[in-house]
Amino acid sequence: MSGIKQHACNMKKGFVIFLSFLTGVTTMAQKIAGKLRFQQGQVLQIEMEMKTAVVQQAMGQAIDFHVTGAATHQYKATNVTDDNNTLRHSMNRLSFQFDGMGQKLNFDSDNPKDMEGRMGKPMKEMLEKNYDVIIDPNGKVMMAQPEKITLAAADERLKLVADMMKDLTNVVFPPKKGEGSFFRVLPENEAAIGESWSETGKTETGEFTNNYTLKEINDSTVVVALDGNSTTSVKADMRGMETVTNMNHKTTGNIIVDKATGIVRQKTLNTESSGATQITAMGATMPLTSKSTIVINVKPQP
């Protein structure tokens, strides 16, 4: 009898191992494409948190700057069809804490006193900007209205803070026709685990290449790895002198997408940057490095 029991036990273990192997093969064989599925009237709240540290070399000394910021904005699906989706974008909140060169600044747009202060006016202008964007089923921008949003020039005293917070404040501006929207992550054609695809583009200050790799397909989510490179060149005025800052950026991270709808649930991005600021009139070059982490969570609203 013991031999029969041992044989049965071995068969059971073998079946479990085979089932596990079969499940793994099935998972690996799964393919997924990036068709988005919004619901009419659906509101998606996007919460962003950012930490950035910058080190600027000047006259043989290293100057440190730190910014911690948060922003909340949203998209509302105002028209959903099989061919396209119209989304209404609005900004809800912006806050930050800045520490650098012996100066500390704190701001929260939800605080009435902060909105009445010197930083309140530019922030109010930003929060009042809205736009509509039409995207195709894969998240590519078909058109935006208005096509461009212009903000008043930042106070010179706040310019450094504004530059360090661009990853948060740039969400105010509508994406350009032909670009990938915030919701474009998965490829148009089906991809299996381990397969990769790329996206390239240009911005007003540079160009970028993002490489995506499908890491996981789970019961309810899809995990995509991001590996990107970009360059920027920004001209500015510093006390009447023109400056040009050239930077190289390296970004890595993970993106979690809802399997049923193709809509982003979370993005975690880490960027390391290096370059220099050149002051043309003085012939001076100041090396510059920075590190930033951004965590984005998308929360469907009831």
Side-chain angles (χ1 to χ4, degrees), residues 145-297:
Q145 184 62 37
E147 294 183 354
K148 188 175 183 179
I149 287 177
T150 303
L151 299 175
D155 185 313
E156 187 65 33
R157 294 167 296 179
L158 301 175
K159 191 168 185 353
L160 178 60
V161 180
D163 287 342
M164 293 179 68
M165 291 180 55
K166 278 186 176 179
D167 288 317
L168 297 183
T169 58
N170 277 350
V171 301
V172 173
F173 304 106
K176 295 179 181 178
K177 180 179 179 180
E179 289 184 349
S181 69
F182 170 80
F183 297 99
R184 183 176 172 85
V185 178
L186 299 175
E188 293 184 19
N189 299 318
E190 289 188 333
I193 292 176
E195 292 187 352
S196 301
W197 60 97
S198 298
E199 176 188 18
T200 60
K202 292 184 178 181
T203 66
E204 293 184 357
T205 58
E207 55 188 21
F208 67 89
T209 298
N210 289 330
N211 302 306
Y212 302 89
T213 301
L214 186 56
K215 287 180 62 178
E216 300 176 22
I217 300 177
N218 303 308
D219 289 342
S220 61
T221 61
V222 176
V223 182
V224 176
L226 169 66
D227 184 354
N229 294 282
S230 61
T231 59
T232 55
S233 181
V234 179
K235 291 184 179 181
D237 181 85
M238 185 177 70
R239 298 177 182 177
M241 294 182 291
E242 183 184 75
T243 66
V244 179
T245 301
N246 296 308
M247 299 289 289
N248 295 307
H249 313 275
K250 171 72 174 177
T251 300
T252 58
N254 284 322
I255 306 172
I256 301 175
V257 177
D258 184 83
K259 185 179 178 181
T261 64
I263 296 174
V264 175
R265 284 190 182 181
Q266 185 182 75
K267 289 185 180 182
T268 303
L269 306 173
N270 298 290
T271 301
E272 295 190 7
S273 307
S274 62
T277 297
Q278 296 178 334
I279 305 176
T280 308
M282 299 176 60
T285 299
M286 298 184 294
L288 178 67
T289 59
S290 71
K291 291 183 178 180
S292 67
T293 298
I294 299 175
V295 178
I296 304 171
N297 287 292

Side-chain angles (χ1 to χ4, degrees), residues 107-120:
F107 177 86
D108 188 341
S109 63
D110 277 357
N111 186 331
K113 289 185 179 181
D114 288 349
M115 291 298 286
E116 293 171 2
R118 61 172 178 150
M119 291 180 282

